[in-house]
């Protein structure tokens, strides 16, 4: 399934070990993220497509909601990661 998310806020890696939130689009082809960006710099993606285009099975307006590409079960594990990081910095157990 090919899915295009647009009008989204997307958490992406930044310099060093930090993250930033950008506004733009996230494209999924089959089960692989093939594009994250503002939707204007897509030439490199279309160059790889045999027909020079992608037919979308779904296009989803994210309505400025935050997408966390690559996270699985973020509803629980993301918070636990931050709590463990804080505990480890204080030399405590996070288990």
């Amino acid at each position: 399934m090919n899915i295009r998310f647009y009008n989204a806020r997307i958490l992406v890696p930044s310099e060093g070990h930090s993250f930033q939130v950008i506004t733009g689009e996230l494209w999924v082809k089959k089960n692989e993220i093939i594009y994250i960006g503002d939707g204007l710099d897509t030439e490199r993606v279309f160059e790889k497509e045999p027909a020079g285009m992608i037919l979308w099975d779904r296009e989803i307006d994210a309505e400025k909601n935050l997408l966390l590409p690559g996270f699985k079960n973020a509803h629980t594990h993301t918070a636990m990661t931050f709590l463990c990081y804080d505990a480890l910095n204080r030399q405590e157990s996070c288990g």
Side-chain angles (χ1 to χ4, degrees):
M1 179 173 275
N2 298 334
I3 305 172
R4 174 185 171 236
F5 294 91
Y6 64 95
N7 191 23
R9 292 180 14 224
I10 308 164
L11 184 71
V12 296
S14 189
E15 298 285 328
H17 295 286
S18 62
F19 292 90
Q20 67 177 348
V21 175
I22 65 166
T23 300
E25 301 189 8
L26 184 143
W27 299 356
V28 178
K29 182 177 178 187
K30 298 187 180 167
N31 290 323
E32 181 181 344
I33 296 171
I34 61 168
Y35 175 78
I36 297 175
D38 59 12
L40 303 175
D41 59 342
T42 59
E43 297 83 19
R44 65 179 172 78
V45 177
F46 289 115
E47 288 173 355
K48 297 177 184 176
E49 293 301 311
M53 60 186 287
I54 300 172
L55 297 176
W56 302 112
D57 298 305
R58 292 187 66 189
E59 293 186 78
I60 299 171
D61 182 352
E63 299 178 352
K64 301 279 188 213
N65 284 300
L66 181 65
L67 300 180
L68 306 171
F71 281 65
K72 293 185 180 185
N73 294 325
H75 62 282
T76 58
H77 300 286
T78 302
M80 191 60 170
T81 299
F82 294 120
L83 292 173
C84 281
Y85 178 78
D86 183 52
L88 290 172
N89 279 340
R90 289 183 280 128
Q91 307 283 320
E92 297 175 9
S93 171
C94 68

